[in-house]
Amino acid sequence: MKNILNAPFLEEMKKTTSNMYRLGWDERNGGNISYMLEEDEVKEYLDINKVIRTIPTGFDATELIGKIFIVTGTAKYFKNVEFDPEKNLGIIRIAEDGTTAQLLWGYKDGGKFTSELPAHLMSHIVRLKHDPQNRVVMHTHPTHTLAMTHIHELDDKKFTHTIWEMCTECIVVFPDGIGVLPWMVCGNEEIGKATAQKMEEYRLVVWALHGIYGAGKDLDETFGLIETVEKAAQLYMLTAHMPHINTILDKELKDVAEAFNLDYRKDFLNL
């Protein structure tokens, strides 16, 4: 059996969490990631019949029974993942009861997965129905996106429109737009359900005054979605107090979308 510390999915998690920390998106123990793995790729590195312990998830994830995830740990710092992945990450499988996670590897200090796992699982269930390749859910606190929620209307259409206007690539990267939630208490079922509901339409959901959720086929795609929003939000924050002499017009956004043959939110443009 191969050494799990050399597994590509583990290397990806180490690189991604380190990058997010260095960008200043995940201070202290902020942020969390869940990444659904294929059983065959895990079997190369682990005896999947060997369960270390079971951990209640606090959520009925019956639709995900048997699915395996690598998940960041609760109260763990992203900056430490690359140095001690076995302490800061865990590989879990949703048990037959749907409400228990079987720990297959990790959390070696007795810890467990992020407290926001129920919100992740709810979003996984929704996104997998829309696209079976959506295997990643990522939550982080990108600085300018968070700042933007302090001064911008918290409306899906208006927020998306402003972000699309900031630079040409935005409508290309997320033509489906961005969902926005008002401030809510984090780590509970209510915000998890609200996020999952938005995930019916979007791969990106902004949590006002808190951060953002993204979903994608792999860590690179999901990170890239959030990174693009953050770049546009930074441009907005740099220019919001100034007169906009130049901007991308709605007709021009439409031209870009059609040039790339995108299935975009036409109702988000004012034409």
Side-chain angles (χ1 to χ4, degrees):
M1 195 166 287
K2 299 177 183 178
N3 185 346
I4 192 169
L5 296 179
N6 298 325
F9 54 80
L10 196 65
E11 286 296 322
E12 286 182 83
M13 287 289 283
K14 287 162 60 177
K15 290 175 182 176
T16 301
T17 51
S18 295
N19 196 20
M20 293 167 75
Y21 173 76
R22 290 175 188 135
L23 284 168
W25 295 1
D26 294 283
E27 69 294 334
R28 200 171 180 269
N29 62 317
N32 30 77
I33 300 173
S34 59
Y35 177 11
M36 191 174 77
L37 305 175
E38 297 292 342
E39 184 177 300
D40 285 344
E41 65 182 328
V42 178
K43 285 166 66 174
E44 292 187 46
Y45 302 93
L46 290 176
D47 178 357
I48 63 171
N49 296 312
K50 184 179 178 181
V51 177
I52 298 171
R53 54 190 166 95
T54 58
I55 311 170
T57 62
F59 171 67
D60 185 356
T62 299
E63 293 175 75
L64 297 173
I65 287 173
K67 300 296 186 184
I68 298 174
F69 299 86
I70 184 167
V71 188
T72 51
T74 187
K76 303 303 183 188
Y77 294 21
F78 273 22
K79 70 182 180 71
N80 294 331
V81 172
E82 65 177 318
F83 304 109
D84 194 350
E86 193 173 1
K87 178 180 177 181
N88 296 284
L89 301 173
I91 296 177
I92 62 170
R93 178 175 55 210
I94 305 302
E96 287 297 321
D97 62 7
T99 61
T100 304
Q102 299 170 328
L103 180 63
L104 305 179
W105 177 87
Y107 308 140
K108 68 178 182 180
D109 62 349
K112 65 175 190 174
F113 40 74
T114 172
S115 61
E116 290 182 357
L117 182 66
H120 279 247
L121 296 178
M122 291 179 205
S123 290
H124 276 293
I125 289 169
V126 169
R127 289 312 310 167
L128 286 168
K129 290 176 182 176
H130 288 273
D131 184 349
Q133 297 302 311
N134 272 192
R135 300 197 296 158
V136 173
V137 171
M138 182 181 292
H139 170 57
T140 185
H141 307 155
T143 307
H144 299 92
T145 305
L146 178 55
M148 186 172 166
T149 66
H150 284 261
I151 63 172
H152 195 283
E153 291 175 88
L154 302 177
D155 174 84
D156 295 0
K157 177 179 177 177
K158 293 176 181 177
F159 199 94
T160 297
H161 193 277
T162 296
I163 291 290
W164 278 354
E165 284 183 316
M166 289 300 106
C167 54
T168 305
E169 72 169 348
C170 288
I171 195 170
V172 177
V173 175
F174 38 90
D176 43 340
I178 303 167
V180 184
L181 290 176
W183 182 88
M184 301 174 72
V185 175
C186 60
N188 63 23
E189 190 170 333
E190 184 181 0
I191 196 169
K193 287 181 177 178
T195 304
Q197 186 175 6
K198 291 286 186 183
M199 285 280 182
E200 294 279 3
E201 297 182 66
Y202 312 105
R203 292 170 296 157
L204 291 159
V205 181
V206 168
W207 286 8
L209 316 180
H210 183 148
I212 191 169
Y213 255 65
K217 66 180 181 181
D218 54 32
L219 291 170
D220 267 356
E221 180 183 73
T222 313
F223 175 86
L225 287 169
I226 295 171
E227 182 182 35
T228 308
V229 174
E230 172 64 1
K231 176 64 173 285
Q234 182 178 11
L235 291 169
Y236 175 79
M237 295 304 297
L238 286 169
T239 61
H241 60 293
M242 301 177 184
H244 285 204
I245 298 172
N246 302 300
T247 191
I248 307 172
L249 303 176
D250 282 35
K251 179 187 179 301
E252 293 166 336
L253 288 169
K254 177 176 179 286
D255 290 342
V256 171
E258 294 185 353
F260 283 84
N261 195 29
L262 302 173
D263 182 13
Y264 66 103
R265 288 295 300 256
K266 298 177 179 63
D267 56 324
F268 280 12
L269 297 182
N270 300 311
L271 292 172

